């Protein structure tokens, strides 16, 4: 009885493309990276590349124009500008590395600890971070410079201290989010020590944002450093871009070129770092690329030339919903992935249609295509989609179609009251006055079984329970008296008791308003409870359509029978199973 | 009658919401789990059933009462004492997506509890466990995002089993799965219990699931146990009105019977 059908379905061959490989596909990022690599190479090779000693004074080339031996001419003290520029890159990058290292070493451990442990650790670290941010950094840096005999390294470390709150904030936010994940609890239950959790789970989670932050921090550090040098801070014998700009600034009106060279070097380096940072940020935050118009067109062409015959049948003359040969596809690396492959179905006014299937069967994609709510990258092609006899367009949502989503809580905006959620659509879609809209909202709330509608209207989503939130969403969906109500797994996220209430409510409303109700579910118990007719889907196709009694009595398809038998209503309980397995006696251990 | 493996006596757990306001999640709950036994804990969300599991795992602070494991008081076990318990008590969570670190390969996920215990032959144990939960051996190099919900739950079960614990707290382990996947994962739980003799504290809101895997069942409502007893009795002919409503609320996959049940449920609801 317990022979497990081994689910060795071949694992999807997902190619994990490294961040590095994805980065190389971004032209802007590649250019920025190339520029930055060039600056690094110049800095490293400066002693060999520079044609002259950067501090060698030759009065003959004082403010000399570019050309001859001195490619970029000489500065106001008679030193070779090109050589000083090349050596200046060295100073600049050394300073940036010191600053970032100091920022990371201070900010990241503090941020991870504050986010993970919370409480006093968090308060103390956040207080220090806030205090650092409120101190005028430039003045402190000038004081540090004066107090340490203008030691460049100490100065850059001090700058790093001031940039550490940037690291602290992002790591703390990330650590706070990750610490609530069940896998952290699982690690603690598995006996993993706190330091080890911090080193593994936490560091892995904050790694990517830190890389981004470092590229941006390096840009800031380079700019700040040049500013300090411009003010004359730092050793005079070490050539630097800021110093060169100061020098050029004195003769800006007569010899603008002397100011121009270090400015270009500085500007290009900072821009390169900023672009590297923003490209990385893009890659990390955006998971699915917005498909281009061209790729959507390609998906559409491929879907419309698909030779597959539509699955499913039409049974009604007058339909609240009629879908003819619907196909939904997503553009992937390896061509178009079709998730709905030719679906035809219909629902009459006053009928309850169930769309049933396992996850991945395409049942949700089908109704998302009807609602025009497909996620980014999804393209739908159909011969015809009609709601209440009319072709569906954006205006149909809220007027002729009502929608009850799966997750009640995530479908209410926490920033707005329930009143706002219910009244706004009535005013804008149905053109009701504010008072009328409020009266209607109150009326439907009472209808969906909410006993104190005025309090609920004033509440924010976090102040009501999940079951109440689902009632509010149903109220919103039916407030516009739609011809078709679509419910996507409306009870999956709810307890059985609340599920029964919601199903009862849907049934009552559907009969009262004479709507067609399309309900998507994986649970045949829900189907038996509420549906008149069922469409069974598998792998994007309809395998069977029929009246509920007939489907349950005599499923035509093996897959339907399998789904029905998966419900545990009449299966053997543990005691019977133990007896069957002849491990009897164990059940009487107490 | 053998001594219970896990005994919970008169347990009270408070959650602090604000500085002054706290919520009593458990109001003096008692329960025991014997060796090799599966005890179910049923109730709706907010009934405190998950809190009890968390208290046993040391993830929720206990206000009063006692939890003993194999005769030892573990109510307030912390630090090294709690880590030693990892040898004996493990967990499978509800969410097959959040319970695996997305940046770790399956091999790393499964080896983590072993490495924490200082085990040396982690690789061999991991391979054996993957076989136990019927996943292909090459899974070790893959990442959680490449697996379906049911497969991830198998990985979570394998992680709970690698230290060969004597008790696994299962917190709604199948409620996020499709019904067909749910059935196979439940069968896996049963097989593993027979093979290894591990005990389960099985938290669920579904009486059908509990009937399938549990020997005994306790029903929780608002932080208290309102009914407990043999799984056959509690899940088929319950005595407490709350349990009766809970049982009738779950729809059965048979239109005729379901409409009868619904009528009874409606009548019960209106009188309640």
């Amino acid at each position: 009885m317990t022979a497990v059908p081994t689910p060795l379905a071949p694992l999807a061959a997902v190619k994990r493309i490294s961040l590095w490989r994805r980065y190389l596909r971004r032209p802007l990022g590649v250019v920025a990276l190339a520029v930055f690599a060039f600056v690094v190479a110049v800095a490293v090779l400066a002693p060999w590349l520079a044609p002259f000693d950067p501090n060698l004074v030759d009065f003959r080339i004082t403010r000399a124009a570019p050309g001859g031996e001195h490619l970029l001419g000489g500065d106001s003290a008679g030193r070779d500008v090109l050589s000083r520029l090349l050596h200046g890159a060295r100073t600049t990058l050394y300073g940036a590395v010191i600053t970032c290292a100091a920022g990371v070493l201070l900010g990241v451990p503090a941020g991870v600890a504050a986010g993970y442990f919370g409480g006093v650790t968090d308060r103390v670290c956040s207080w220090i971070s806030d205090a650092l941010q409120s101190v005028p950094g430039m003045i402190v840096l000038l004081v540090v410079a004066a107090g340490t005999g203008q030691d460049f390294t100490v100065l850059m470390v001090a700058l790093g201290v001031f940039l550490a709150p940037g690291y602290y904030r992002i790591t703390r936010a990330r650590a706070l989010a990750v610490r609530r994940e069940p896998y952290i609890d699982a690690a603690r239950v598995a006996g993993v020590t706190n330091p080890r959790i911090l080193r593994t789970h936490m560091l892995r989670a904050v790694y990517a944002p830190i890389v981004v932050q470092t590229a941006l921090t390096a840009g800031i550090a380079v700019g700040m450093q040049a500013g300090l040098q411009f003010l004359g801070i730092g050793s005079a014998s070490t050539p630097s871009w800021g110093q060169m700009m100061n020098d050029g600034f004195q003769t800006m009106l007569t010899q603008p070129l002397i100011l121009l060279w270090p400015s270009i070097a500085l500007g290009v380096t900072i821009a390169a770092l900023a672009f590297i940072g923003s490209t990385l940020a893009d890659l990390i935050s955006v998971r699915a690329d917005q498909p281009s118009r061209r790729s959507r067109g390609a998906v559409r062409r491929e879907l419309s030339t698909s030779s597959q015959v539509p699955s499913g049948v039409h049974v009604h003359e007058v339909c609240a919903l009629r879908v003819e040969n619907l196909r939904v596809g997503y553009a992937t690396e390896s061509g178009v992935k079709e998730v709905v492959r030719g679906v035809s179905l219909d629902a009459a006014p006053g009928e309850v249609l169930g769309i049933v299937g396992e996850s991945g069967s395409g049942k949700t994609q089908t109704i998302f295509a009807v609602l025009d709510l497909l996620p980014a990258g999804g393209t739908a092609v159909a011969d015809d989609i009609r709601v209440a006899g009319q072709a569906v367009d954006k205006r149909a949502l809220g007027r002729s179609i009502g929608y009850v989503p799966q997750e009640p809580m995530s479908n209410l905006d926490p920033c707005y009251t329930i009143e706002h959620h219910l009244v706004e659509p009535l005013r804008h879609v149905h053109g009701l006055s504010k008072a009328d809209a409020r009266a209607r909202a109150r009326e439907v709330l009472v209808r969906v079984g909410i006993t104190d509608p005025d309090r609920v209207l004033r509440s924010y989503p976090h102040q009501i329970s999940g079951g109440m939130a689902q009632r509010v969403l149903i109220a919103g969906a039916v407030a516009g008296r739609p011809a078709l109500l679509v419910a996507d797994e409306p009870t999956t996220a709810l307890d059985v008791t609340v599920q029964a209430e919601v199903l009862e409510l849907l049934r009552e409303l559907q009969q009262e308003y004479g709507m067609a109700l399309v309900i998507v579910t994986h649970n045949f118990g829900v189907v038996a409870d509420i549906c008149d007719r069922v469409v069974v889907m598998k792998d994007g196709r309809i395998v069977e359509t029929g009246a509920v009694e007939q489907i349950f009595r005599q499923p035509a398809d093996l897959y339907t029978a399998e789904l029905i038998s998966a419900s545990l209503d009449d299966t053997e309980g543990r005691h019977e199973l133990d007896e069957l397995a002849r491990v009897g006696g164990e059940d009487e251990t107490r | 009658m053998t001594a219970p493996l896990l005994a919970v006596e008169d347990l009270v757990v408070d959650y602090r919401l604000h500085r002054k306001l706290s919520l009593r999640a458990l109001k003096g709950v008692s329960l025991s789990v014997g060796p090799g036994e599966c005890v179910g804990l049923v109730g709706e969300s907010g009934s405190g059933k998950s809190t009890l599991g968390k208290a046993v795992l040391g993830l929720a602070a206990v206000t009063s009462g006692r939890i003993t494991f194999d005769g030892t008081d573990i109510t307030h076990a912390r630090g090294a004492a709690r880590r030693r318990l990892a040898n004996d008590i493990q967990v499978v969570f509800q969410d097959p997506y959040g319970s695996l670190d997305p940046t770790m390969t399956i091999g790393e996920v499964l080896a983590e509890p072993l490495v924490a215990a200082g085990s040396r032959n982690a690789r061999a144990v991991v391979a054996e466990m993957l076989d136990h939960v019927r996943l292909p051996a090459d899974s070790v190099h893959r990442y959680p995002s490449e697996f379906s919900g049911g497969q991830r739950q198998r990985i979570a079960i394998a992680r709970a089993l690698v230290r060969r614990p004597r008790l696994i707290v299962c917190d709604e382990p199948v409620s996020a799965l499709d019904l067909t996947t749910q059935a196979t994962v439940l069968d896996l739980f049963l097989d593993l219990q027979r093979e290894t003799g591990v005990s389960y504290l099985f938290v669920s809101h579904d009486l059908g699931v509990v009937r399938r895997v549990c020997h005994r069942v306790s029903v929780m409502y608002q932080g208290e146990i309102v009914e407990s007893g043999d799984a056959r009795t509690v899940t088929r002919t319950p005595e407490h009105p709350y349990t009766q409503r809970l049982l009738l609320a779950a729809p059965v996959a048979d239109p005729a019977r379901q409409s009868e049940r619904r009528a009874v449920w409606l009548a019960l609801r209106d009188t309640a």
Side-chain angles (χ1 to χ4, degrees), chain A residues 384-405:
Chain A
D384 197 16
I385 299 180
R386 277 174 190 279
V387 172
Q390 293 185 336
V392 169
D393 60 4
K394 299 246 182 234
R395 288 166 45 84
L397 266 180
R399 287 171 208 275
S400 45
I401 311 179
Y403 170 52
V404 181

Side-chain angles (χ1 to χ4, degrees), chain B residues 132-227:
Chain B
H132 244 56
V133 298
R134 286 113 192 156
L135 281 171
D138 70 339
S139 305
V140 284
H141 303 298
R142 291 164 177 269
Y143 287 87
S145 59
E146 297 169 46
F147 294 85
S148 69
Q151 289 170 326
R152 284 181 204 213
Q153 213 55 321
R154 284 169 192 274
I155 296 164
I157 295 170
R159 173 178 57 191
L161 279 171
V162 284
R163 294 269 290 267
R164 308 211 175 274
R166 287 192 282 165
L167 172 73
I168 299 181
V169 176
C170 310
D171 189 357
E172 302 255 16
V174 295
S175 59
L177 306 176
D178 274 332
L179 287 184
T180 40
T181 320
Q182 179 175 310
T184 57
V185 172
L186 286 180
D187 284 348
L188 178 66
F189 271 113
L190 291 179
D191 288 353
L192 291 174
Q193 185 162 53
R194 290 190 188 123
E195 285 163 28
T196 63
V198 64
S199 306
Y200 296 135
L201 177 60
F202 203 97
V203 177
S204 177
H205 69 266
D206 189 333
L207 279 169
V209 167
V210 163
R211 180 192 307 133
R212 184 80 175 170
V213 291
C214 296
H215 299 106
R216 288 185 304 122
V217 179
S218 291
V219 181
M220 284 195 76
Y221 182 62
Q222 296 186 346
E224 284 170 281
I225 290 181
V226 295
E227 179 167 7

Side-chain angles (χ1 to χ4, degrees), chain A residues 370-389:
Chain A
V370 171
L371 294 165
D372 199 13
L373 286 180
L374 282 177
T379 308
V381 173
D383 294 350
D384 197 16
I385 299 180
R386 277 174 190 279
V387 172

Side-chain angles (χ1 to χ4, degrees), chain A residues 574-589, chain B residues 194 215:
Chain A
R574 179 63 193 261
H575 295 282
E576 290 94 335
L577 286 173
D578 279 351
E579 271 153 34
L580 282 166
R582 304 208 180 287
V583 202
E586 191 187 38
D587 45 342
E588 297 303 329
T589 37
Chain B
R194 290 190 188 123
H215 299 106

Side-chain angles (χ1 to χ4, degrees), chain A residues 519-542:
Chain A
I519 193 161
V520 173
T521 180
H522 67 272
N523 186 341
F524 260 98
V526 172
V527 173
D529 187 67
I530 193 168
C531 294
D532 301 322
R533 231 155 42 82
V534 192
V535 167
V536 184
M537 283 187 72
K538 185 190 184 186
D539 298 334
R541 307 261 305 162
I542 291 177

